[in-house]
Amino acid sequence: MQSDSTHLLPNGKNRRLGFFSGIPVLFFLFFSGQGCIPYLYHLGKEQAKILLQRKAISDVLADPEIPETTKTKLKEVEKIREFGIQHLALSSEGGFKSFVQLDRPAIGWHVSACHPLRFESYTWWFPIAGTVPYKGYFSFEKAKEEEQSLKEQGFDTRIRITAGYSTLGWFEDPLFSSQLYEDPGDLASIVIHEMAHATVYFPGDSLFNESYASFVEDQGADEYILKIGGPKLLEERKRSEEETKLYKNLIIETANLLKAAYSEGGREDILLAKKSEIISNFRKKILQTKWTKINSKKLAERDWNNEDFIGMLRYNSGTGYFRKRFLEVGKDFSKFHDEMRKLKEKSAEDRKALLDEK
C-alpha cells in the first residue's frame, strides 16, 4: 500500500479550477502521460459551465423572475462582501459579485484519504495550488469511483460535500445556489472563509490555509453578526453553536489521542487495537452526552476512521496561535493578515510547528 507519496493528479475542491482553461502545452503533455486527461476534461468542462452560467448579482436582483427570498439572500451577501473588505481587510478579489444557479444539490464532492495507522494524508499535486490532501469532482459518481480506488489500496477514506469554492483571486468566484443559507451567520461564514483564501494562501500548505481561513471566518462572522444585530443576536448565535462546538472538540480530542498513539509506534496489530479502543470510547462519549440537535445514535453507528479525525484537524488547527497573534496586533485584521503573509518565507513544516504551539 502506498503511504507517503504525492500523486501527480490535480484537485478540484476549492482551489484554482479555472487554470485548466489555459493549461500550458507542456503541462498537458505531462498529465497525458499520467493518465489524467479524463479528469482534466471533467474539471475543465464543469469550470467552463460555471463561467458561462455566472450572472452579476445586480442583474439577478433586477430580474422579475427571481424569487424575493433569493434576492434577499443575495443582498445580504453583498453586505457581507463589503463588510469583509472594509472591516476585515479581506481581498476585494475574493469574488461573490455574481451568482450561479446549480442543477445539483452541491457545488461538488471531494475525496480525502489517510493512512489507516498513521495521521498521514494521501495527497495529490497540481500546478499553482501545489500539494493538496483532497481531490474534487463535480460529479458524486466520479467521486465514489475515486474513493473506491483508494479503499482498494487500503486507505481510510471519506467523501465530503464541497461547501466552498475559491479560485484565490484568479477568477471572480460566484456565489452558488447551494450556498444560500437561511441563517445570516452561516451565510457570512462561507463568504468570509472563501474571501480569506484570496487574501492569504500558501501553495501546498492545506493545514495552514484552511485553519487560517477558519479562524478568520469565526472572528469575522461574529463581528458581522454583532454589527447587524448587536450583542443580543451574537449571544444567541453563540448559544446555538455551543453543541456544535462541543461535538467538534470531542472529535479534536479523539484525533489527538489517535495521533499520540500512532506516534508511539509499535506492531500493526497493537496499533489497530489502540485505534479500535480510542474510536470505541469516542462512540461511547457521543452516546453518553445529552444532545438536543445531534443524532447521537446515528453518529455512534458511523464507520469512523482516521480521515474523519485528521480532516477535523485540517480545518481547526492552531486556533491558539492565531488568536494570540490577532490579540498582539490589537484585533486589527489588516495587520493580522500582514503578519500571516510574513510566514511565506517559512516552510510548511515550520508553519505547522507554529500551529502546534500550546
Side-chain angles (χ1 to χ4, degrees), residues 187-243:
L187 198 57
S189 291
I190 190 68
V191 172
I192 292 169
H193 185 101
E194 300 310 321
M195 290 181 74
H197 280 314
T199 305
V200 177
Y201 180 84
F202 301 129
D205 193 351
S206 296
L207 177 67
F208 182 90
N209 294 332
E210 297 300 348
S211 295
Y212 156 79
S214 293
F215 177 80
V216 174
E217 167 195 334
D218 290 342
Q219 295 294 320
D222 280 355
E223 294 209 12
Y224 181 74
I225 292 300
L226 183 63
K227 179 179 182 293
I228 65 172
K232 184 178 180 181
L233 183 60
L234 178 59
E235 183 59 34
E236 289 176 1
R237 176 172 172 79
K238 285 189 174 295
R239 278 201 304 270
S240 70
E241 291 179 333
E242 280 302 314
E243 194 163 290

Side-chain angles (χ1 to χ4, degrees), residues 242-244 246-247 250 283-297 299:
E242 280 302 314
E243 194 163 290
T244 301
L246 176 62
Y247 173 57
L250 184 56
R283 288 195 174 97
K284 289 177 184 176
K285 287 181 180 179
I286 288 178
L287 290 172
Q288 292 168 355
T289 303
K290 292 183 178 180
W291 310 98
T292 58
K293 302 176 183 177
I294 290 175
N295 187 330
S296 58
K297 185 174 184 297
L299 281 174

Side-chain angles (χ1 to χ4, degrees), residues 118-132:
R118 291 198 295 271
F119 264 16
E120 187 177 274
S121 295
Y122 184 102
T123 58
W124 292 265
W125 177 90
F126 69 99
I128 304 174
T131 301
V132 288

Side-chain angles (χ1 to χ4, degrees), residues 78-118:
E78 288 188 314
K79 293 178 183 177
I80 296 167
R81 181 180 182 278
E82 189 60 25
F83 179 84
I85 295 169
Q86 298 298 327
H87 297 275
L88 308 180
L90 295 173
S91 172
S92 60
E93 302 299 318
F96 298 103
K97 293 185 287 186
S98 59
F99 177 68
V100 170
Q101 178 64 51
L102 294 171
D103 58 0
R104 54 183 181 270
I107 300 171
W109 296 263
H110 58 281
V111 184
S112 301
C114 182
H115 190 286
L117 292 176
R118 291 198 295 271

